[in-house]
Structures are given as C-alpha cells and as structure tokens.
Amino acid sequence: MSETSIRPALITNVLPDSIAAEVGFEAGDCLVSINGQRPRDLIDYKFLCADEILELEVLDTKGKSHQLEIEKDYDDELGLEFETALFDGLIQCNNRCPFCFIDQQPPGKRETLYLKDDDYRLSFLYGSYLTLTNITEREWERIEMMRLSPLYVSVHATEPEVRVRLLKNLRAGKILEQLKWFKERRLQIHAQVVVCPGINDGEHLQQTVLDLAKFHSGKVPAVASVAVVPVGLTRFRPAEDELVPVTPEKAREVIAQVQALQAQFRRQKKSNCVWLADEWFLIAGEELPAASHYENYPQIGNGVGSIRQFLTQFEEAAKRLLLPAVSPARRLTWVVGNAVEKAFEPVVQRLNQVEGLDVQMAAMPSEYWGQKITVTGLLTGQDLLKNLQGKDLGDGILLPSVMLKHGEALFLDDMPVDEVAEKLGTKIVPVTGVDELIQACLA
C-alpha cells in the first residue's frame, strides 16, 4: 500500500489533562502524519510518537490542515484515541476453514460480524488469532524489524496435508517453516489448535502438539503456549462442512490424551506447555483443574482457565462479603450459559449467605445458535427473551458483559440491551468480572 492511500486517522476521544488536550485537539480531528510519516496503524502511531519532538499534520473537523510541533519526554503519551487501530484497513482472511464462526452466522446482521480478520497487527495489539497465510514479504519484514511479538496463531495441525484440508489454502502447509522463522529471530507465538473430530484429532492431534512442543524451549521459546479448543458449531453452518460436534466421549478422550502429554512436558520442560480449554471439561462433565495447573494463565483469552480464575478471584473477594445485611432486601437474576451452571453453583450459594440478598442463576442454552450446551459469551438477546419472558426476575438481571459487543450494549444477534430489558420488564446490569458482580449485588 502506498503512503498516499493511507487514510488520516480519525480521533474519537481526547483524554482530559493530556498533551493533546492542552494543544487543542478535539474529537473529530484527523491525524495525517507524524514527523512526515503517515501512520498505517496504532503500532506506527506509538512507534512514531516515541520521540521528544513531534511535527504533526492534522485536519480539523472542517477539513482545514494544521501543522503542530510538540516537545515532550520520549515516553509521554499524547492522549489520543482513534476510531480504529488500523488506519489503512483490515487484512482479511483468504482461508475457507469449515469451522469459521463468521460462516456460521445468519445473514442480515451488522457488517462487522462478517469481517474475516487475519491481521497480524490486531493479533499483536489485542491477542486475536491469525493463520499466517495472508502475510506478504513486506509484512514479515515489518514483524521482524518492529519485533511484533508475541503473535497469536491458529495452527490447528502441523502436518501440511491436514492443515491444508482444514484451511482450504495451499499456503497453509508452511506452518513448520514459519515457526522456524520465529525461532531464528527470537520472536514468539501463542498457538491455538481447534479440534475437529475425524479431521485433526487422534494421531494428528498428537503429532501437532509434539511438533509445537519442540519449539517450547530456551529463554525465548518460539511457541510460548498451546491451547487445545473444541470446535464450536451452530445451526447456521454450511451443510457440506464435514464437521461433527464434540461429544462427551470425545471430550474425555481428548482430555486424557492431552493430560498424558502435559505430564510428559512437565517432566521434560517443567511446564505444561499445552493447555485444554475449559469447554472440554464442561462437555465431559469433569472437574476443572486446580488454579496452580494454569501457571500464569498464558491462554486466558482463549477460555483456558477463565472459569477457574473467576472462581479463585471470587473466593478471595468473598472475604469482603462479611458485611451487614443488604437493605432493602433484593432479588437478582444472574444469566449464564448452561455450560457453566455446575461450576458457578458455589458462587450463588456464597452470595446468598449475605442476609437480604437472593441471587438466582438462570443457566440456559442458545436456541438461537442451535446449541444444547452453550458458553455464556454466545447467549443472545433472543435467548434471554425465549428463556426469561413471563418470569419473575426480581429487581433486575446481572448480565455478564462477555455477551455484548465490545464497547456497546448490543448482543451478538444485534438486539440492544435496552430493548431486551423493556420486553422483560426489568433492568439489566452488565457486569465484568468478580468485583463488578459483587458490587452489583451489594451496592
């Protein structure tokens, strides 16, 4: 992409008491260049701003160009927030993975739900997974030059023919060469393996994990961690996708297989190296591992240990529940996916020990997605209406914010939270994490 084709970066917020606020930046202004260079993305912006003297070209809300010079300490932030992290557009995916969640959605929803992200920059900035099949030589050079590490990579299989079958892309077979590239440059990835029964499980999963573990060595292991995740399927998926759901029997098989490898790696590498997503244990009906099993939770964003971490944090925070009775008394409904119902029962029991507080857990599957067992993050507004309409919900609903679009009160099915609250005739309080859950119960 030529520099002239990079769009000016639209500023959506200027932090109060920041350098940018002091010199007069306003939301709606656009940043064109820094020291004569047009930033392609938030990475460029941060890199270029790490200087003591900045010459900025800015377009105000009327389109008038301004030249600004700022003197600051090299590590001072300007205090600008942008409409998007990518000023030159998203690098989209050219694979055709049959289990891609984008292709398992109904038509007619907001456009952003159909964008197939395969952008290494979002991987570096936010931990989203990419396949490495869409990276040009120029971008590989940039990753090396700017030390963009770690990246989060959907590996799925290391055997070329199996990975090509899964991604429907001939370039997918180069994954082991690419891992060597990271190792030679002392750069890192976190790997993901989505297990599709009958395709990359069994001996293929064994080979994949062993191959990845070879790169988990040295002070800077090229493969920092591996997450093994069950394939998620919805009723909207293409009929010809050749996929089958993970059964409780298959989940128990995979748990046993991976746990045997973990024991081997702990002896050899003093680390598990590979971790199972919480869903395996929920599907299998087995107890989650202890908190110590997850070490420093390297794959928490992939649902590996997130439930155990939540329970551990709640146990620690429960000490603060030694409070006077809640007054006036209140009754609340806590909505969760039915996959976590058993795991979260102790949380509800502990909350209800507070005098005057009555929390009822509403654990439900998602008929919207056609799933009998559903994690909380996939519940939609329509699921809440289907399961809760006409019921006495008490003084309000506690809604885990993982159900909502980031930064917006909107469910995955595009229903606004306000609309669902109105139809249910009660208020909905989004909560993020343990502290907000407890505060919503007690405040």
Side-chain angles (χ1 to χ4, degrees):
M1 173 175 287
S2 67
E3 189 168 280
T4 55
S5 63
I6 300 172
R7 292 175 299 155
L10 176 62
I11 297 165
T12 54
N13 188 36
V14 181
L15 298 181
D17 302 319
S18 64
I19 295 173
E22 190 178 313
V23 299
F25 274 96
E26 296 179 351
D29 293 341
C30 291
L31 178 64
V32 178
S33 68
I34 303 170
N35 292 339
Q37 294 188 54
R38 290 177 176 244
R40 293 177 51 189
D41 45 43
L42 200 56
I43 299 170
D44 271 356
Y45 166 76
K46 291 182 176 181
F47 180 80
L48 293 170
C49 283
D51 210 336
E52 295 180 337
I53 298 178
L54 303 181
E55 294 182 359
L56 308 179
E57 181 183 354
V58 182
L59 295 177
D60 63 23
T61 54
K62 297 179 181 179
K64 183 179 179 181
S65 179
H66 301 266
Q67 306 292 327
L68 302 176
E69 183 173 296
I70 294 175
E71 291 189 29
K72 64 177 190 62
D73 291 337
Y74 79 95
D75 56 350
D76 281 347
E77 299 278 350
L78 290 185
L80 297 175
E81 294 180 352
F82 300 94
E83 177 186 33
T84 174
L86 308 177
F87 311 150
D88 61 356
L90 179 73
I91 299 175
Q92 293 203 53
C93 187
N94 62 2
N95 304 303
R96 291 177 291 115
C97 306
F99 50 84
C100 179
F101 190 75
I102 304 299
D103 294 331
Q104 294 193 64
Q105 299 181 95
K109 303 301 176 183
R110 59 182 183 271
E111 279 186 31
T112 53
L113 288 176
Y114 305 103
L115 291 175
K116 291 190 177 184
D117 158 31
D118 203 27
D119 201 307
Y120 69 93
R121 299 169 297 177
L122 296 182
S123 184
F124 173 70
L125 290 168
Y126 306 121
S128 60
Y129 278 84
L130 77 159
T131 64
L132 303 178
T133 61
N134 294 290
I135 300 179
T136 64
E137 187 61 36
R138 177 191 174 196
E139 306 300 354
W140 281 111
E141 291 171 359
R142 187 183 187 217
I143 292 170
E144 179 179 6
M145 180 190 72
M146 300 188 77
R147 309 296 296 172
L148 302 184
S149 173
L151 298 182
Y152 293 76
V153 179
S154 290
V155 174
H156 307 322
T158 52
E159 297 166 280
E161 64 277 7
V162 180
R163 194 166 193 258
V164 167
R165 178 186 177 187
L166 280 169
L167 274 62
K168 304 291 191 294
N169 187 333
L170 291 176
R171 282 189 283 177
K174 298 180 178 180
I175 186 65
L176 288 176
E177 298 173 32
Q178 292 165 337
L179 292 178
K180 291 175 185 174
W181 185 92
F182 281 93
K183 181 178 180 179
E184 289 166 358
R185 288 156 181 80
R186 294 173 62 81
L187 298 173
Q188 292 185 295
I189 73 157
H190 291 279
Q192 169 183 256
V193 178
V194 174
V195 175
C196 301
I199 301 178
N200 65 337
D201 58 343
E203 61 182 12
H204 301 301
L205 176 60
Q206 189 86 0
Q207 186 64 54
T208 295
V209 172
L210 289 172
D211 283 343
L212 291 172
K214 292 174 185 175
F215 291 92
H216 186 79
S217 61
K219 290 184 178 180
V220 185
V223 174
S225 69
V226 182
V228 177
V229 183
V231 65
L233 304 177
T234 80
R235 65 187 175 93
F236 302 108
R237 73 181 197 271
E240 68 282 358
D241 65 9
E242 67 178 340
L243 298 177
V244 296
V246 173
T247 63
E249 294 75 21
K250 173 57 70 173
R252 287 189 282 271
E253 174 193 314
V254 172
I255 290 171
Q257 182 181 13
V258 172
Q259 286 183 336
L261 289 166
Q262 287 175 327
Q264 175 184 330
F265 298 148
R266 283 195 299 272
R267 290 192 302 270
Q268 297 171 346
K269 303 172 181 292
K270 310 303 181 186
S271 168
N272 281 323
C273 178
V274 56
W275 281 271
L276 290 154
D278 297 352
E279 288 178 68
W280 292 109
F281 300 96
L282 302 176
I283 295 170
E286 295 189 4
E287 289 293 322
L288 293 160
S292 59
H293 167 84
Y294 296 102
E295 298 174 19
N296 63 345
Y297 291 92
Q299 290 269 1
I300 191 73
N302 213 358
V304 178
S306 56
I307 295 176
R308 176 57 68 197
Q309 185 185 65
F310 182 91
L311 295 173
T312 301
Q313 290 173 345
F314 182 82
E315 288 171 8
E316 294 169 353
K319 299 169 185 175
R320 301 199 297 272
L321 295 180
L322 299 174
L323 300 172
V326 171
S327 181
R330 65 178 62 119
R331 186 159 53 84
L332 299 166
T333 301
W334 183 25
V335 175
V336 297
N338 63 347
V340 299
E341 181 175 14
K342 182 179 177 182
F344 283 174
E345 282 176 355
V347 175
V348 174
Q349 292 170 5
R350 182 65 186 86
L351 287 170
N352 287 335
Q353 290 176 15
V354 177
E355 187 178 344
L357 179 63
D358 181 6
V359 177
Q360 300 298 318
M361 180 165 51
M364 62 188 71
S366 175
E367 291 192 24
Y368 178 84
W369 298 114
Q371 297 175 334
K372 293 182 180 178
I373 300 176
T374 305
V375 295
T376 302
L378 288 181
L379 291 178
T380 66
Q382 293 177 54
D383 291 322
L384 267 66
L385 294 178
K386 174 77 175 177
N387 287 275
L388 300 179
Q389 218 155 16
K391 295 183 177 180
D392 183 359
L393 303 171
D395 298 305
I397 290 173
L398 302 173
L399 187 83
S401 59
V402 293
M403 297 182 199
L404 306 178
K405 181 184 177 186
H406 181 67
E408 294 187 35
L410 204 63
F411 290 94
L412 275 176
D413 60 356
D414 277 352
M415 287 196 74
V417 170
D418 289 348
E419 180 183 340
V420 175
E422 183 180 352
K423 289 182 177 179
L424 292 176
T426 190
K427 68 177 180 179
I428 293 178
V429 181
V431 292
T432 302
V434 167
D435 288 342
E436 286 191 14
L437 174 67
I438 293 174
Q439 184 179 0
C441 289
L442 302 181

